[in-house]
Amino acid sequence: MRVTVEGGRLVRIEGVPENRATPEGPCLKGLAYVERAHSPQRIVEPLRRQPDGSFAPTSWDEAIETIAVQLERLRTAHGPQTVLYYTGSGTKGLLNGCGMAFWRLFGGCTTTYGDLCWPAGLEATRLTLGANTHNAPWDLERARLIVLWGKNAAETNVHQMPHVDRAQAAGARVVVIDPRRTETAERADLLAQLRPGTDGALALGLGHLLVRDGHVDQAFIERHVKGFAEYASAVGEWTPERVAAITELPVATIEALAQLLGTVKPMTIVPGFGMQRFTNSGQSMRAMLALCAITGNLGRPGAGWMYANLQTQVFSPVKDPIDCYPPKPADGIVRVSLSTARLGRDMLATADPPLTFAWVERGNPIPQNPETTKVIEGFRRLEFRVVVEEFLTDTAREADVVLPAKNLFEQTDVIGAYWHPYLQLRPKVLEPPPGVKPETEIYRALGHRLGLDDGELAAALPGPSEASIEDWLSAKLAPLGISLDQLRAGPVLSPEFEEVAFAGDRFPTPSGQVELWSDEARARWGVPELPSWQEPGERPERGGRFPLHILTPNTKNRIHSQFGNLDTIRRMAPAPFVAIHPVDARARAVREGDLVRVFNDRGELRLPVRFDHGLKPGCVAITNGFWLTEGAAVNLLSQGRETDMGHGAAFHDNAVQVERA
Ligand SMILES: Nc1nc2c(c(=O)[nH]1)N[C@H]1C(S)=C(S)[C@@H](COP(=O)(O)OP(=O)(O)OC[C@H]3O[C@@H](n4cnc5c(=O)[nH]c(N)nc54)[C@H](O)[C@@H]3O)O[C@H]1N2
Ligand SMILES: Nc1nc2c(c(=O)[nH]1)N[C@H]1C(S)=C(S)[C@@H](COP(=O)(O)OP(=O)(O)OC[C@H]3O[C@@H](n4cnc5c(=O)[nH]c(N)nc54)[C@H](O)[C@@H]3O)O[C@H]1N2
Ligand SMILES: [Mo]
């Protein structure tokens, strides 16, 4: 982003054409930072909870003193691992991730493993291809067939759409596979609205047809694919008729899809994150990935699997998935023992030592993690809670002390990406409001008060000056051969950047081949060595108590629980609603605009209905990220359940009923 500051205020945000992936500039949310940076709702001083439950401003000295007294008391009583250090996916960055260094100096802490976002797909990809990397974003323009599978790029990856458009203008076909008719689907030549959670079955059925019709790349398979013979025999039972019955897609649609996949090359599959939020989704992603392998659509321009690009995650543990798995080799300091997907339940069950203190930073776990009720219970059970936040979120409202957070314009950092291959400098362009300190300064102040070793503290965290921060960043970047001066000049391609991933057909798996057969899948996750499909854990039953499938996708108007509080966004998306197909509404005597209860045994939401003729009947949809205070925290309905691999969260394995309120 190129930002213009006038008189200490942000006045304009534009694109940076040097970043070839995002030249058009920001979406609505990016533009809304003009409002957000100076929002009157921002927390601009520490807040202390009062006996009556309200918050009152307090000084930094008092806030640090209060927190330090609690930390010392609870560490003495239970040891340092009584502290839960929880971070989410709010602003990321090389420096922004420095908190763990503080907690190590404190003596240790407890933290989470897994992730809310993408791990089932990451692990499926790693098992199959050996690494999570993909062709350059703009390479998509060379595809002749683009399959947007459970991905709504028009809302969640807006910068991908110009590449899709240009490919399409050059004659490419576009397929969308999604239970909802999304904005992305408006571009599609073919939309397959399958039953949620059945993607694995569809993929195995497509494999069946590709093998049956000889639409496979024998030369590629012989040299580079492990387990094809076993796979070809396993897909034998996945006939179009059986797959149609499972997916609720017409046989003709399945045949048409297979015809496209088998005959149009090069093909890129762009799988999203939505379809890997099920208990069966790692295996489903492996089944989908097999389609690239058997058609030879890997390691070629315009071809491949565009899921996640970790090329720029040069300083994140996600690079090494082993890091995200429990049990972590015990270093006696950090206990990595809570499943992010089961945060509430695991907080309540933790013993030896029990959790008594939480520090939350860059995340809003109460509405965003599964099973909101349990997460609230987990937080309320603690003796003391600190939340570092820009706004009074649902999680901040549970705190004993809220510390104000700087925003991304107020401290220099280096950032990577999920999808594009650039590392970028994010220089400080605004002074934080007078009462706001960046996390580094919060930790330094707390460290001094706790009597942590000055030298160690100084080695772990930079000082407040720009020079100190730049030295710190430079030291971290040096091993990568990147300098701050280079980054100052503009976006820098990651040293790991490849225009075409897996070019030369080198796959860093144990066998060096694409592994349709993976011994590690069985050994690590207890799933079959070959891709397979089984029903998701929670299946809506027609005629049962909870017959509807609830989807909680992302929206162009927010990033998860962020931005919804701004006027700019409110104008576009004033209030939450539940989308329902008129057929399902009529069966419940519900009219457009009626207030309904959306509920299951875990919770209930009361929302107005909006008809959506483009939704697959049997599904309802509420975008995730609304706050409890807005009455639409969707995770009141979900259960803390992990995906079959990678310790992701199976948000979409979730059945509900809808009734007039
Ligand atoms: N505007 C905006 N952009 C974002 C975000 C945001 O909050 N707002 N969040 C960012 C983050 S952290 C993430 S993880 C990504 C996520 O972005 P996406 O990958 O697009 O993920 P979702 O929106 O969760 O789901 C995408 C689609 O999957 C569909 N879907 C649900 N269940 C199934 C299924 O069983 N099968 C199939 N085939 N499709 C299914 C949903 O209907 C939805 O349209 O977006 C990123 N970009
Ligand atoms: N039901 C359902 N639930 C979902 C999903 C879904 O599809 N369905 N999607 C999941 C996914 S993919 C994700 S990634 C998660 C996201 O969930 P979270 O990781 O909790 O992320 P956000 O909701 O974006 O909240 C981030 C918070 O960090 C704060 N913040 C931003 N920058 C900073 C900073 O520099 N310092 C500090 N201290 N705070 C900062 C913001 O104000 C914001 O309140 O939600 C997950 N939850
Ligand atoms: Mo995410």
Side-chain angles (χ1 to χ4, degrees):
M1 297 193 280
R2 180 156 292 141
V3 307
T4 308
V5 176
E6 283 171 10
R9 289 180 78 86
L10 213 108
V11 294
R12 191 158 51 248
I13 303 185
E14 294 157 295
V16 176
E18 292 81 12
N19 183 324
R20 280 185 69 189
T22 63
E24 289 84 4
C27 60
L28 180 63
K29 305 172 301 299
L31 297 172
Y33 273 118
V34 171
E35 177 188 346
R36 176 169 169 167
H38 308 287
S39 167
Q41 295 174 49
R42 252 188 94 176
I43 303 168
V44 290
E45 57 199 336
L47 303 175
R48 177 80 168 95
R49 181 179 295 285
Q50 305 300 301
D52 70 357
S54 66
F55 286 109
T58 181
S59 70
W60 272 102
D61 284 347
E62 266 174 33
I64 294 290
E65 181 62 24
T66 309
I67 295 168
V69 165
Q70 296 294 337
L71 278 173
E72 284 176 329
R73 177 176 73 83
L74 295 168
R75 182 176 57 184
T76 304
H78 306 285
Q81 293 181 350
T82 197
V83 174
L84 167 64
Y85 174 52
Y86 181 88
T87 60
S89 65
T91 314
K92 299 210 171 191
L94 181 46
L95 181 57
N96 234 17
C98 70
M100 190 52 95
F102 168 86
W103 292 107
R104 287 185 168 273
L105 294 180
F106 172 73
C109 66
T110 297
T111 193
T112 51
Y113 60 83
D115 189 294
L116 298 177
C117 187
W118 53 353
L122 288 182
E123 181 60 359
T125 306
R126 190 187 69 88
L127 291 172
T128 311
L129 301 179
N132 276 279
T133 177
H134 60 62
N135 295 10
W138 44 90
D139 176 74
L140 197 56
E141 293 175 26
R142 293 194 276 190
R144 301 289 298 167
L145 176 63
I146 298 174
V147 183
L148 291 148
W149 197 325
K151 167 132 186 175
N152 182 15
E155 293 202 60
T156 63
N157 199 345
V158 287
H159 300 99
Q160 192 162 51
M161 290 315 284
H163 302 301
V164 173
D165 290 343
R166 283 196 279 270
Q168 217 167 7
R173 311 278 198 90
V174 173
V175 171
V176 169
I177 303 176
D178 197 308
R180 300 187 304 140
R181 183 175 181 134
T182 58
E183 292 190 17
T184 311
E186 299 303 329
R187 311 285 227 285
D189 298 290
L190 180 65
L191 168 64
Q193 289 187 277
L194 80 183
R195 173 162 74 90
T198 64
D199 303 83
L202 175 61
L204 293 166
L206 294 172
H208 172 99
L209 292 174
L210 292 167
V211 172
R212 183 197 72 187
D213 298 341
H215 286 159
V216 296
D217 184 335
Q218 278 301 343
F220 183 84
I221 290 169
E222 270 158 35
R223 276 182 299 147
H224 305 301
V225 178
K226 180 179 171 195
F228 178 73
E230 294 88 343
Y231 169 86
S233 117
V235 294
E237 58 177 292
W238 292 93
T239 60
E241 293 70 27
R242 179 174 173 212
V243 172
I246 292 172
T247 58
E248 299 175 6
L249 289 173
V251 168
T253 301
I254 300 167
E255 295 269 4
L257 266 171
Q259 184 66 22
L260 283 170
L261 262 62
T263 58
V264 186
K265 279 181 191 188
M267 167 188 73
T268 300
I269 297 184
V270 186
F273 302 67
M275 51 121 324
Q276 54 96 56
R277 307 194 200 285
F278 290 87
T279 42
N280 66 10
S281 52
Q283 282 295 83
S284 297
M285 292 290 265
R286 289 183 65 214
M288 291 157 56
L289 195 35
L291 302 173
C292 290
I294 65 173
T295 55
N297 277 300
L298 286 168
R300 314 270 179 280
W305 173 255
M306 203 170 263
Y307 178 64
N309 186 353
L310 302 188
Q311 285 168 359
T312 65
Q313 302 281 314
V314 283
F315 17 74
S316 153
V318 77
K319 254 319 225 197
D320 178 6
I322 305 301
D323 242 32
C324 303
Y325 304 150
K328 275 267 282 203
D331 62 5
I333 297 178
V334 180
R335 174 172 67 171
V336 187
S337 62
L338 274 66
S339 168
T340 309
R342 288 191 307 262
L343 181 67
R345 286 174 185 273
D346 283 9
M347 280 174 78
L348 292 164
T350 296
D352 301 325
L355 298 176
T356 57
F357 185 108
W359 181 288
V360 179
E361 194 183 286
R362 289 172 281 131
N364 191 5
I366 286 180
Q368 289 314 110
N369 292 50
E371 226 171 333
T372 292
T373 317
K374 289 280 175 219
V375 182
I376 294 175
E377 215 181 310
F379 276 96
R380 292 199 177 153
R381 179 78 65 84
L382 303 172
E383 293 185 35
F384 206 80
R385 295 137 286 242
V386 176
V387 176
V388 191
E389 251 303 345
E390 291 172 50
F391 296 99
L392 210 51
T393 61
D394 291 338
T395 309
R397 281 173 198 276
E398 291 294 322
D400 298 276
V401 172
V402 182
L403 297 176
K406 55 102 188 48
N407 67 29
L408 73 164
F409 305 105
E410 296 167 350
Q411 186 177 43
T412 297
D413 207 341
V414 171
I415 54 170
Y418 276 39
W419 160 71
H420 70 62
Y422 292 102
L423 286 161
Q424 299 181 103
L425 181 68
R426 203 193 64 207
K428 174 174 171 175
V429 293
L430 290 176
E431 275 309 320
V436 174
K437 292 181 197 293
E439 282 82 350
T440 45
E441 287 307 296
I442 297 175
Y443 284 126
R444 275 163 25 91
L446 192 56
H448 287 137
R449 164 60 185 78
L450 290 169
L452 302 186
D453 184 272
D454 269 351
E456 287 180 342
L457 209 53
L461 301 167
S465 71
E466 268 312 281
S468 173
I469 289 174
E470 291 185 0
D471 286 350
W472 190 93
L473 291 170
S474 295
K476 298 274 174 192
L477 288 170
L480 303 169
I482 296 174
S483 72
L484 276 187
D485 278 339
Q486 269 174 292
L487 289 170
R488 264 188 211 101
V492 171
L493 284 170
S494 158
E496 294 177 24
F497 171 68
E498 295 171 306
E499 182 86 23
V500 173
F502 308 108
D505 299 322
R506 288 184 312 272
F507 299 97
T509 57
S511 64
Q513 293 187 304
V514 180
E515 297 206 347
L516 297 187
W517 180 278
S518 165
D519 290 320
E520 202 182 343
R522 163 90 58 198
R524 192 181 287 281
W525 304 109
V527 297
E529 288 86 350
L530 288 172
S532 62
W533 182 82
Q534 60 183 46
E535 280 289 346
E538 188 167 310
R539 186 179 174 184
E541 294 291 349
R542 217 163 268 154
R545 287 175 65 216
F546 304 117
L548 297 169
H549 209 109
I550 181 169
L551 300 174
T552 53
N554 294 309
T555 154
K556 63 184 169 194
N557 296 319
R558 294 189 303 275
I559 291 279
H560 299 290
S561 68
Q562 305 188 60
F563 296 94
N565 57 335
L566 305 177
D567 291 340
T568 317
I569 302 297
R570 282 274 157 95
R571 256 178 268 146
M572 305 289 169
F577 59 87
V578 53
I580 185 165
H581 193 281
V583 165
D584 290 319
R586 191 187 316 126
R588 291 162 177 78
V590 167
R591 283 165 312 188
E592 168 97 17
D594 280 356
L595 192 68
V596 293
R597 296 170 58 222
V598 183
F599 66 98
N600 58 24
D601 284 336
R602 294 180 287 271
E604 158 179 322
L605 301 175
R606 282 167 181 264
L607 292 171
V609 156
R610 191 178 290 180
F611 284 1
D612 184 349
H613 296 257
L615 194 58
K616 181 176 165 52
C619 298
V620 296
I622 310 171
T623 58
N624 83 79
F626 288 113
W627 296 8
L628 280 171
T629 47
E630 295 172 283
V634 292
N635 285 311
L636 284 168
L637 300 168
S638 61
Q639 181 173 332
R641 246 197 281 253
E642 286 192 7
T643 50
D644 53 354
M645 55 184 70
H647 305 293
F651 291 107
H652 286 177
D653 250 45
N654 202 350
V656 295
Q657 179 57 295
V658 169
E659 274 177 14
R660 283 175 76 142

